[in-house]
């Protein structure tokens, strides 16, 4: 076995035999797909470009029914659009190549493609077809035309490829909502899509074993020179730096790279005396190419373009009798990681070592016997048979459910103008404005079983009104925001005061003159003396970059250690020196005796609580509310023409570039049989030895009279609901990548702190929502009035 530093793992994924949703070819077929039903596949690939999954599968489907493949449009100089029909020797598939004038606008090009497809259906097809999509980008061409079945064969995460159209994200969301059955090209794609359609099945790469097995009878062309090779497209998915390091580490080996160079500059290819860039080869030539190698390579980069790939090369190389060395591609590890003759290397040194070990394997023997047993289970014939069964079942379900017609949800008009995702501040304000001012019909959904988001309050078992997700204190300097919310609540005047436990005392926080006097046992008669005291301890830093710089520059190291360092480390899981300066710049230092935590013009609490305020905001005949509902379980395109999304932006895009990091909170709620637990509503505990950051006593926030009192201990956590975006440069860069995707979606509006990956106070969220609504430019309904927006 090729093991040691190559880091195999038997825990990465189930074995190939237990692929999720595998259907055995001998399963009873509940209903045959009528052979007279044609199949139209929509593909971004040219049928004659390269032999791969579409050709293998569609050629087999063509043995039983008419199969057409609608290829990507070709922009031409002709003054009118037209459709070319192509047939290729040895195939029963007809290739359709639309040509459209390149000078036309994008809208006119799409309209032309839709007309060409409609004309093709009218003049050529005898009945509604099976619509088989290899790319969501072509779904608009088929439109709402009649179909017997919709199949999505998701071979790759196309939106992660270089120069991909950002609109692919939303197009795929719509296709997954419509598809009767979804096939994925591997396990990673299956895991990414399984929650987005009820009928998703994994089909890792199959292989034409007999074709590639011809390589086993061939010996390396240069017996005295060992050769390691790769065939396939050479693009951004390859780690060219690794190829260069491999050639340097193995100067006695010949490294042969076979395939077309696509989407990258050929000048970027590493040049070494022992690297040969051989250019493309036909599918028929690949066994001969493979037969000239000692070891087959899969030097893929680990990036967004390779996160979900399940390379066909692994079984093709193995069918040719050549051992394989691969980088740590998840599906290769899952499907082949425990097979002798497949090595997984996680760095350049390990990769070179693995190539030498693989080159020492015998040409036959036990390792190849194990390979052959596995290859028998993944033939294209077996894959085709399994897919046929799943399609037949989906076909019968569609006919049973809809009498052969498209699902009712796709036929009827959309029931709502806007779908609002999230019933917190951002979503509720948007929903209220859209319904009451613009006269829209709005559906609000939230995965939680309640409204009000993190501001949700409720009476606990003792009858005391508590904030379920920690204390929320309303304050603002915006008259517009305050007046807007005043439509939905009466207010209880409340000025928030916080104490901090320091050196065995409870002292005012933020630091003010009283804090300094109590902490140091001194007398500071005026603002000037307090300012001088702080100045004497300050340690100015230039430039101010981190949170530590902010505090130490203002109050010095001792007060920083007493009040900020431990609290920040608990709250964020990072030292202040690792956090952006904005984290602590929000907490002021004062030289007067003002012990209010906030100094805003408007400070108050909703008299009946936050939940009651939200209930009044959403109490409108134009608003429907659906709680305990996951957005991923909905078909937004069928429900509404526009989506307002207030959840995490990375979640909307299925964590395409990875998760944005957040800090979360956990709460321990307690009720004590005393009237008062502590002197103020919130006491902070900055000492890092104390596991919680603060204790809140809710009666002091709400003004409720009760013989008992309820409190909560607040524990910061790295796991749980997202509360606080972590302000670090690399996180902002990651957010900007998602923001670029969001900008490409005209039918989706992203609002709120999670959608913008930015911490907002409650009034800032309200102001942003009002401003966003105003920018939508919707005409007010009769009797409505546009709210003044707080920018």
């Amino acid at each position: 076995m090729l093991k040691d530093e190559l880091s195999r793992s038997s825990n990465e994924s189930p074995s190939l035999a237990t692929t999720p949703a595998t259907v055995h070819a001998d399963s009873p077929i509940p209903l045959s797909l009528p052979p007279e039903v044609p199949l139209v596949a929509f593909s971004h690939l040219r049928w004659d470009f390269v032999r791969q999954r579409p050709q293998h599968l569609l050629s087999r489907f063509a043995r039983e029914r008419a199969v057409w493949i609608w290829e990507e449009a070709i922009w031409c100089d002709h003054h009118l659009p037209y459709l070319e029909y192509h047939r290729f020797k040895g195939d029963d598939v007809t290739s359709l190549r639309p040509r459209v004038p390149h000078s036309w606008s994008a809208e006119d090009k799409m309209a032309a493609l839709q007309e060409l497809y409609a004309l093709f259906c009218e003049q050529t097809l005898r009945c509604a077809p099976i619509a088989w999509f290899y790319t969501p980008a072509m779904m608009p061409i088929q439109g709402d035309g009649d179909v017997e079945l919709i199949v999505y064969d998701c071979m790759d995460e196309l939106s992660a490829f270089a120069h991909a159209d950002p609109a692919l994200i939303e197009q795929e969301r719509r296709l997954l909502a419509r598809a009767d059955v979804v096939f994925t090209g591997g396990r990673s794609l299956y895991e990414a899509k399984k929650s987005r359609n009820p009928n998703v099945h994994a089909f890792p790469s199959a292989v034409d074993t007999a074709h590639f097995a011809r390589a086993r009878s061939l010996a390396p062309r240069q017996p005295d020179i060992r050769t390691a090779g790769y065939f396939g497209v050479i693009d951004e998915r390859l780690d060219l730096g690794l190829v260069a390091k491999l050639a340097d580490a193995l100067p006695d080996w010949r490294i042969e790279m076979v395939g077309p160079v696509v989407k990258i500059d050929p000048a970027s290819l590493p040049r070494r005396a022992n690297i040969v860039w051989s250019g493309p080869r036909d599918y028929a030539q690949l066994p001969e190419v493979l037969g000239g190698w000692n070891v087959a390579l899969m030097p893929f980069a680990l990036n967004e373009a390779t996160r979900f790939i399940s390379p066909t090369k692994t079984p093709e190389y193995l069918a040719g009798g050549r051992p394989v060395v691969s980088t740590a591609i998840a599906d290769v590890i899952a499907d082949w990681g425990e097979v002798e003759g497949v090595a997984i290397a996680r760095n350049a040194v390990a990769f070179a070592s693995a190539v030498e070990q693989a080159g020492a394997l015998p040409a036959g023997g036990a390792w190849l016997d194990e390979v052959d047993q596995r290859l028998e289970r993944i033939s294209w014939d077996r894959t085709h048979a399994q897919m046929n069964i799943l399609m037949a079942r989906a076909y019968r379900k569609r006919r049973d459910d809809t009498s052969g017609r498209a699902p009712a949800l796709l036929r009827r008009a959309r029931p709502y103008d806007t779908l609002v995702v999230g019933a917190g501040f951002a979503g509720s304000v948007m929903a209220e404005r859209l319904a009451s001012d613009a006269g829209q019909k709005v559906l609000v959904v939230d995965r939680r079983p309640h409204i009000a988001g993190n501001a949700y309050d409720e009476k606990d078992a003792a009858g005391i009104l508590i904030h379920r997700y920690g204390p929320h204190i309303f304050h603002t300097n915006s008259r517009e925001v305050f007046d807007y919310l005043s439509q939905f609540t009466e207010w209880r005047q409340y000025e928030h005061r916080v104490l901090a436990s320091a050196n065995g005392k409870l002292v005012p926080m933020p630091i003010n003159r009283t804090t300094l006097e109590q902490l140091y046992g001194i007398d500071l008669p005026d603002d000037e003396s307090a300012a001088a005291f702080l100045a004497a301890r300050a340690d100015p830093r230039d430039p101010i970059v981190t949170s530590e710089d902010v505090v130490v520059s203002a109050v010095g190291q001792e007060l920083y250690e007493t009040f900020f360092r431990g609290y920040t480390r608990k709250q964020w899981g990072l030292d202040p020196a690792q956090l952006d300066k904005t984290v602590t710049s929000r907490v002021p230092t004062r030289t007067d005796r003002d012990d209010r935590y906030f100094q805003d013009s408007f400070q108050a609490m909703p008299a009946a609580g936050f939940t009651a305020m939200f209930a009044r905001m959403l109490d409108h005949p134009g608003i429907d509310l659906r709680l305990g509902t996951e957005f991923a379980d909905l078909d937004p395109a069928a429900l509404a023409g526009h989506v307002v999304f207030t959840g995490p932006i990375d979640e909307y895009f299925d964590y395409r570039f990875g998760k944005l990091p957040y800090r979360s909170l956990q709460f321990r709620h307690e009720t004590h049989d005393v009237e008062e637990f502590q002197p103020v509503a919130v006491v902070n505990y900055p000492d890092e030895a104390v596991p919680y950051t603060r204790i809140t006593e809710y009666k002091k926030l709400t003004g409720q009279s009760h013989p008992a009192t309820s409190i909560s201990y607040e524990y910061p956590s790295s796991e749980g609901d997202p509360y606080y975006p972590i302000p670090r440069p690399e996180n902002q860069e990651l957010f900007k990548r998602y923001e670029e995707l969001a900008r490409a979606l005209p039918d989706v509006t992203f609002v709120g702190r999670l959608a913008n990956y930015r911490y907002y106070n409650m009034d800032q969220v309200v102001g942003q929502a009002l401003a966003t609504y105003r920018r939508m430019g919707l005409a007010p309904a009769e009797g409505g009035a546009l709210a003044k927006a707080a920018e």
Side-chain angles (χ1 to χ4, degrees), residues 41-70:
F42 296 85
S43 175
H44 56 293
L45 301 169
R46 296 279 177 230
W47 181 254
D48 56 336
F49 177 67
V50 63
R51 191 83 179 184
Q52 53 181 299
R53 180 175 175 129
Q55 285 86 343
H56 287 298
L57 287 174
L58 295 183
S59 294
R60 285 164 170 79
F61 280 108
R63 298 170 187 168
E64 62 203 32
R65 68 189 68 254
V67 174
W68 311 77
I69 182 164
W70 186 282

Side-chain angles (χ1 to χ4, degrees), residues 153 191 219 228 281 310 354 357 391 402 450 541 543 576 611 653 721 732 785:
D153 192 0
E191 293 297 329
R281 295 288 187 275
S310 179
Q357 292 182 54
M391 291 165 63
T402 65
H450 58 72
R541 296 184 176 181
T611 304
F653 293 107
D721 292 338
Q732 278 304 306

Side-chain angles (χ1 to χ4, degrees), residues 237-252:
R237 290 173 292 176
L238 288 191
D239 187 341
L240 298 179
L242 174 62
V243 174
K245 291 177 182 177
L246 178 64
D248 293 339
L250 302 177
D252 296 332

Side-chain angles (χ1 to χ4, degrees), residues 119-161:
L119 187 63
F120 159 74
C121 292
E122 178 183 338
Q123 294 182 344
T124 306
L125 301 185
R126 297 180 180 179
C127 61
I130 301 164
W132 183 298
F133 289 95
Y134 283 108
T135 171
M138 290 194 179
M139 190 173 59
I141 297 173
Q142 188 273 334
D144 293 325
D146 288 340
V147 293
E148 289 291 346
L149 201 70
I150 296 178
V151 178
Y152 178 25
D153 192 0
C154 181
M155 298 192 303
D156 294 292
E157 193 66 76
L158 297 176
S159 62
F161 283 19

Side-chain angles (χ1 to χ4, degrees), residues 607-623:
F610 283 101
T611 304
M613 180 179 74
F614 276 83
R616 290 183 63 181
M617 194 182 303
L618 295 171
D619 184 16
H620 189 282
I623 297 175

Side-chain angles (χ1 to χ4, degrees), residues 29 60 474 685 712 748:
I29 300 177
R60 285 164 170 79
F474 185 79
Y685 290 84
S712 67
V748 185

